[in-house]
């Protein structure tokens, strides 16, 4: 009811809100998408401005409008806004490109490119590129990871990598995030999470964590915005893992989630009691630990939106984080599938303020601007 869809005749691999300027109080109104598995892949910028008319109950009507787009070589494997104008895009060809969105005339141009930032044999082999699987930005610094197990640190406006860790991993690195300005966290295809201190010259991780037992590939990672020791990962088995990197080398909790690969996990940037995950199984879950479930009317209450409430069996409200209790679902957590009629894979989601955007293999993008209504 609150979601508007736009069919785009492209499989969407990534969707990202443009960050709001520090001064802005408005809700996000522009997002970017990247596509994959199409003959002609594209980076596109969309507006969800006022979308024409506001309905009776104040909801927006109409669909996202395409502002501009540009061709992209290879599948878009990851993308992140560097600032309000520039987007860093990771390609299956191994190239990393910075595109600039010119807001005065609504065009996109390639601003900077690191050819074959990731490669299998050597950079000069024509087809030797290895997919760049993940990219993360922090101010002017860009970190990329790839199928070649390589980590690159780039700085915008510098032609060469500032730092490259060549054999950082013997398996594919699937995703990367900043823990703090000098530390990054990577996840790989054998279920390991590694911390790298970029101040250290040695090319070994400062810490290694791993899932016990089966080496399930981890596909995505996100860190809690306020408590930097809390990290969430998702993997091939659809499980959500919560880690406390201050202690132990195993996850604090493993939560049964999706029935197939989890492609992305995101804490809400300003309201991290809320977490969102999306999956190959066509579902997008909203995990809410903000409520005290004991106030709910019944022990197990089935809501209209396939919501499940769990009982609240502890009286002390943990001041720590609900995410760190041994089994958050026992204490207080509400899980809602935001896509009741599942179709094809939900490959990407992004969340900012009350707004959610997600992209699917059903060649559609969806925007919900009243997430907490």
């Amino acid at each position: 009811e609150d979601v508007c869809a736009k069919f785009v005749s492209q499989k969407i691999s990534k969707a990202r809100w443009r960050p709001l300027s520090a001064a802005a109080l408005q809700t996000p109104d522009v997002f970017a998408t990247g596509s994959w598995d199409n003959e002609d892949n594209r980076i596109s910028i969309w507006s969800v401005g006022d979308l024409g008319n506001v309905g009776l109950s104040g909801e927006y009507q109409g669909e996202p409008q395409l502002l501009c787009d540009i061709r992209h070589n290879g599948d878009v494997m990851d993308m992140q806004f560097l600032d309000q104008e520039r987007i860093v895009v990771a390609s299956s060809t191994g190239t990393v490109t910075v595109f600039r969105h010119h807001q005065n005339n609504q065009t996109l141009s390639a601003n900077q490119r690191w050819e074959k930032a990731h490669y299998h044999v050597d950079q000069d082999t024509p087809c030797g590129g290895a997919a760049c699987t993940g990219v993360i930005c922090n101010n002017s610094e860009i970190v990329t990871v790839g199928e070649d197990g390589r980590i690159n640190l780039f700085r915008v406006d510098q032609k060469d990598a500032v730092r490259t860790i060549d054999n950082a991993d013997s398996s594919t690195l699937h995703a990367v995030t900043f823990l703090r300005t000098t530390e990054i966290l990577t996840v790989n295809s054998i279920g390991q999470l590694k911390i790298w201190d970029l101040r250290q010259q040695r090319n070994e991780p400062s810490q290694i964590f791993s899932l016990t037992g089966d080496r399930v590939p981890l596909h995505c990672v996100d860190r809690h915005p306020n408590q930097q020791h809390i990290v969430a990962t998702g993997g091939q088995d659809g499980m959500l893992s919560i880690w406390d990197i201050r202690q132990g080398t195993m996850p604090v909790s493993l939560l049964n989630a999706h029935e197939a690969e989890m492609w992305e996990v995101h804490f809400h940037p300003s309201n991290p009691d809320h977490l969102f995950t999306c999956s190959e199984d066509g579902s997008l879950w909203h995990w809410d630990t903000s409520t005290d479930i004991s106030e709910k009317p019944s022990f197990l209450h089935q809501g209209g939106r396939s919501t499940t409430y769990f009982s609240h069996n502890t009286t002390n409200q943990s001041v720590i984080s609900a995410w760190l209790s041994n089994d958050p679902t026992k204490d207080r957590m509400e899980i809602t599938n935001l896509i009741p009629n599942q179709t094809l894979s939900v490959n990407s989601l992004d969340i900012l303020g009350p707004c959610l955007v997600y992209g699917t293999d059903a060649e559609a993008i969806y925007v919900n601007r009243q997430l907490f209504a």
Side-chain angles (χ1 to χ4, degrees):
E1 54 271 28
D2 305 322
V3 178
C4 56
K6 170 93 176 174
F7 290 91
V8 294
S9 63
Q10 295 230 313
K11 290 184 181 175
I12 298 297
S13 57
K14 290 292 157 184
R16 298 286 181 251
W17 287 111
R18 181 175 77 190
L20 294 170
S21 64
L25 292 170
Q26 83 272 27
T27 48
D29 55 356
V30 170
F31 65 91
T33 58
S35 69
W36 80 290
D37 198 26
N38 308 290
E39 282 185 18
D40 191 10
N41 288 307
R42 308 194 82 75
I43 305 292
S44 310
I45 306 281
W46 306 86
S47 164
V48 287
D50 335 334
L51 294 183
N53 312 325
V54 173
L56 292 175
S57 56
E59 81 281 11
Y60 294 96
Q61 295 174 327
E63 53 179 35
Q65 301 297 315
L66 180 66
L67 295 178
C68 51
D69 65 355
I70 192 169
R71 197 160 171 269
H72 178 265
N73 264 339
D75 292 338
V76 173
M77 302 293 287
D78 198 5
M79 59 194 280
Q80 298 289 337
F81 273 90
L82 183 72
D83 51 33
Q84 295 214 278
E85 292 184 342
R86 291 176 295 182
I87 311 166
V88 185
V89 180
S91 169
S92 57
T93 64
T95 295
V96 177
T97 311
V98 182
F99 290 96
R100 186 179 285 273
H101 174 210
H102 305 274
Q103 295 170 31
N104 50 358
N105 60 0
Q106 293 305 343
T107 56
L108 273 166
S109 63
N111 191 221
Q112 187 167 3
R113 188 172 276 135
W114 293 283
E115 297 281 354
K116 292 219 186 115
H118 294 272
Y119 52 90
H120 281 306
V121 198
D122 60 72
Q123 267 170 311
D124 307 324
T125 318
C127 56
C132 176
T133 49
V135 54
I136 192 79
C137 309
N138 185 28
N139 297 327
S140 64
E141 292 192 330
I142 299 164
V143 173
T144 69
V145 296
E147 264 178 12
D148 53 0
R150 196 173 264 109
I151 299 175
N152 291 307
L153 172 62
F154 295 108
R155 207 160 276 133
V156 175
D157 310 328
Q158 288 192 21
K159 195 162 58 77
D160 297 318
V162 178
R163 170 97 189 269
T164 294
I165 304 178
D166 267 332
N167 300 311
D169 213 298
S170 54
S171 63
T172 296
L173 289 168
H174 282 300
V176 59
T177 190
F178 272 97
L179 272 183
R180 40 183 73 82
T181 45
T182 56
E183 275 187 324
I184 57 167
L185 195 90
T186 58
V187 294
N188 70 11
S189 59
I190 55 170
Q192 292 174 321
L193 201 142
K194 298 182 182 180
I195 297 180
W196 306 82
D197 186 339
L198 297 174
R199 291 165 303 190
Q200 300 287 338
Q201 278 316 301
R202 61 199 185 100
N203 292 343
E204 274 94 45
S206 53
Q207 270 178 290
I208 301 180
F209 303 81
S210 62
L211 293 168
T212 48
D214 312 330
R215 301 186 149 211
V216 178
L218 291 173
H219 289 304
C220 52
V221 59
D222 196 25
R223 128 175 118 59
H224 192 290
N226 316 335
Q227 298 179 290
Q228 296 175 335
H229 53 276
I230 301 177
V231 171
T233 62
Q236 189 162 308
D237 55 3
M239 296 275 279
L240 172 64
S241 308
I242 306 292
W243 311 69
D244 180 348
I245 58 172
R246 298 169 306 183
Q247 54 182 1
T249 56
M250 285 155 32
V252 181
S253 53
L254 289 169
L255 301 169
N256 276 315
H258 303 276
E259 288 161 21
E261 290 92 345
M262 185 188 296
W263 292 130
E264 287 197 353
V265 55
H266 292 291
F267 285 101
H268 190 290
S270 53
N271 198 345
D273 283 346
H274 299 267
L275 177 124
F276 297 83
T277 58
C278 63
S279 166
E280 178 73 28
D281 68 10
S283 62
L284 192 160
W285 286 16
H286 172 191
W287 306 68
D288 176 3
T289 63
S290 67
T291 43
D292 179 352
I293 308 295
S294 60
E295 293 163 11
K296 301 284 191 245
S298 69
F299 157 52
L300 203 63
H301 163 73
Q302 283 295 333
R305 297 165 67 196
S306 66
T307 299
T308 311
Y309 296 116
F310 294 95
S311 73
H312 181 91
N313 60 3
T314 47
T315 43
N316 60 334
Q317 286 294 319
S318 81
V319 184
I320 321 168
S321 168
W323 295 111
L324 289 189
S325 74
N326 284 352
D327 180 359
T329 48
K330 274 205 203 68
D331 292 343
R332 41 176 196 183
M333 188 180 296
E334 185 183 323
I335 302 168
T336 308
N337 180 11
L338 299 180
I339 313 176
N341 322 328
Q342 304 182 0
T343 53
L344 298 173
S345 176
V346 182
N347 297 322
S348 182
L349 71 97
D350 197 26
I351 176 115
L352 192 56
C355 300
L356 166 73
V357 58
Y358 58 96
T360 70
D361 271 355
E363 305 196 340
I365 45 182
Y366 299 84
V367 177
N368 178 344
R369 300 187 65 177
Q370 299 191 302
L371 199 59
F372 300 114

